Amino acid sequence: MPVAGIVVEYNPMHNGHCYHIQKTKEKTGADTVVAVMSGHFLQRGEPAIVNKWARTRMALQNGVDLLLELPVVYSTQSARLFAFGSVATLDALGLVDVLCFGSEKGDLGSLMQLTDLIAEPPALLQTELEKELEKGLAYPAAFAAALRSYVLQTKELDPDLVNHPNNMLGLEYLHALRKLKSPIRPYTIQRLAAGYHDVTFTHAEIASATAIRKAIAENRAMNAFLPSVNFDILKQEFDNGRGPVTWNSFTQPLFALIARSTPDDLRSYAHFDDEGLETRIIEALPYVSSVSELIYKVKTRRYTWTRIQRALTALLLGFTKEKLRPLKLDSGPDSIRVLGFTEKGRTLLKKSASTARLPIFTNISENVPAMIDLNIQATTVYSLGFPQSSADNRLREPQIPVVYIKEDF
Amino acid sequence: MPVAGIVVEYNPMHNGHCYHIQKTKEKTGADTVVAVMSGHFLQRGEPAIVNKWARTRMALQNGVDLLLELPVVYSTQSARLFAFGSVATLDALGLVDVLCFGSEKGDLGSLMQLTDLIAEPPALLQTELEKELEKGLAYPAAFAAALRSYVLQTKELDPDLVNHPNNMLGLEYLHALRKLKSPIRPYTIQRLAAGYHDVTFTHAEIASATAIRKAIAENRAMNAFLPSVNFDILKQEFDNGRGPVTWNSFTQPLFALIARSTPDDLRSYAHFDDEGLETRIIEALPYVSSVSELIYKVKTRRYTWTRIQRALTALLLGFTKEKLRPLKLDSGPDSIRVLGFTEKGRTLLKKSASTARLPIFTNISENVPAMIDLNIQATTVYSLGFPQSSADNRLREPQIPVVYIKEDF
């Protein structure tokens, strides 16, 4: 039976995610699921609501068998690098047969056509790309805009394909598979009712993670939308002062970092590519009391919420361009970090000893590769955002054992 | 009548400081006093208990007529640069006639003899200095240790002279005057009962600032030890959520800065000269819950409390060696920043327009010299440590007018 790979963030893991795992198994015939998950800082440039070990426990009790961490230097990037890091991790394990991701229509064919466009951009697409780059957009944003513009002009494909973040991610998964010449076969599953950005509950059991986090922030019930075991895990973390963690948990350190910076200082960080963002941030600072107020004040059509958040994450975590350069993100991760497994996952992990093309770290030893070192730093910074962040309550990554759930779900 | 200059921190200003001003006037015959004061971060590497404008109001209502700010890049340095920046500021005003500082014995003669030693170090002192530098000490600490060792061996001078921080500062004032070939004449006044580091009250009206801050931290009465107007100013600041500010007010940002740093990153900051301090700090971090716990854990005979605090200040304020280098601290301040004046001080300030050898900034305009820019940044960082640090309550330096007390005290 094939082994399926999925790319997740689980912020937090809800019924929609469980449905995705169930459909993955049905569609691909897989009975083992390997997930690569973002750690403490996520693709949209925000901290996770609870820590990665809590989210690993949720995953392992709801159908994931082996959980790998996407290095934080990839998890906080725009779609292309995020997808590349994720797919490269699954690929490097050497035993994942299929990749299954959610999309709006569940139509692999047209996504593949789009991928062709990415691999060999026709003249019109390239012209559009140059136009967007000239506007001052960074490459990933420029490419996405150019692709939208291309699809709208040529009408070869359904414009919905490029209008949805999930589709754009799917496209990048396919592109990464091709770039890696990976033998992993892609599948896509149509997503359920709730939209990616939906903030309200429109369905009795399915809600977006965004809507669930909003309910948590507003102290409204949200237990109908996630497995009860996951609700218990969340509650336990919150009861112990380890969440909910939001951007506003980092107001003081982030503001101090901005306050001590000149525009040039800020431009040395990743995601500060676009002239002007650094000045807007510095100028807004005196008038805002929280990170969310800051983002709201800085935001324009050009500087989207997500772009600002990613830039702030780079600043908080100290990801200067100079620091990221030697990591060569374009060449893929330097290691595979295992956060947890079930019994079935453990068997798979043993097997990977002879198939993996990267060193595997189940626990943290003295000398770890650079990307794992940055994960450890990110964990410490993250747990400084806990409502209770005394030394005892903070997360000391090297001392936290792998999550081992001695049964299968 | 001569104009007297003094160097102060007023953290907070107490009866001992008032005595110093009174004696300064008596001894020098001056009726006008110019003070150069550290802003928000002080010579022993810690944040001030209340902001610089509150401390300016205290000073102006207790005998100081014109209050200048020592740039933060000098106020957070060890004795030599701190003294040089202070004396150079007074000197650059072009109308200060005498400098009067406190010392343990009030004996200018032996301090002058010591200054000779600094200016032309004899062979034995140089040998001792080399020994200390070989131990890995930074220059200022090495010089102080070598001087102590020299005085103890030669017995030419009273060892008490070099065993007290106030004397060491006095020595550096004299050295700075000589280096600047300044026409300012030095005076020294014997300090009153309370020692610099005393933490308890041993006298009915005189206590050290350290003891007063400790009483504030422990919620004990301390109003007997400072003028009632100063007590009222402190109380008002505290009531408004703008103090007391301590190192522990900066635990989250400082810890985040350490967490995201490698030893090499930390070594790029000023005061991380001595191999080993950066590693001790990084290794202590997981086990401490506050900055004071961190310092306590890192402290050794070699890494003193003050040295650690200065290094942490550089980290918090972003003072990398690379950032300080172009400021050329050895050449003196780039400007004179006026925080406040009385009526008499205002007259003096007008006079200085034709005597000052540096540009004077009474209010903050668009383009300010680099050192004032760093003062502004330090103010923002400082006010993020307020118990209530909403945007409304934070200090926006460019919008705060000079303190003008329309009478004389």
Side-chain angles (χ1 to χ4, degrees), chain A residues 262-328:
Chain A
T262 62
D264 276 344
D265 291 334
L266 289 187
R267 267 194 297 271
S268 71
Y269 287 89
H271 299 292
F272 280 93
D273 303 301
D274 189 1
E275 192 88 13
L277 178 59
E278 66 287 348
T279 318
R280 282 189 70 82
I281 288 176
I282 289 172
E283 285 173 359
L285 190 72
Y287 305 97
V288 293
S289 299
S290 66
V291 179
S292 54
E293 278 181 39
L294 174 71
I295 301 172
Y296 189 79
K297 201 169 171 74
V298 167
K299 183 172 72 76
T300 60
R301 255 195 74 181
R302 178 168 168 181
Y303 308 118
T304 61
W305 196 280
T306 303
R307 287 180 68 191
I308 300 165
Q309 288 198 140
R310 279 199 203 113
L312 298 181
T313 301
L315 178 58
L316 181 66
L317 298 180
F319 291 168
T320 57
K321 288 162 190 158
E322 201 186 320
K323 204 161 198 170
L324 294 187
R325 201 174 301 119
L327 298 178
K328 298 189 203 318

Side-chain angles (χ1 to χ4, degrees), chain B residues 146-204:
Chain B
L147 197 60
R148 267 192 292 277
S149 168
Y150 175 88
V151 169
L152 284 173
Q153 284 178 61
T154 59
K155 299 192 174 91
E156 289 166 9
L157 289 161
D158 182 350
D160 274 3
L161 274 174
V162 289
N163 276 334
H164 202 281
N166 270 311
N167 282 340
M168 290 304 286
L169 270 174
L171 208 59
E172 294 295 351
Y173 297 143
L174 295 173
H175 179 59
L177 284 175
R178 188 180 299 208
K179 186 177 164 192
L180 290 161
K181 299 192 174 65
S182 171
I184 296 176
R185 281 165 289 128
Y187 285 79
T188 185
I189 288 167
Q190 187 169 13
R191 282 168 51 89
L192 284 179
Y196 195 67
H197 288 303
D198 282 0
V199 292
T200 52
F201 297 144
T202 51
H203 187 285

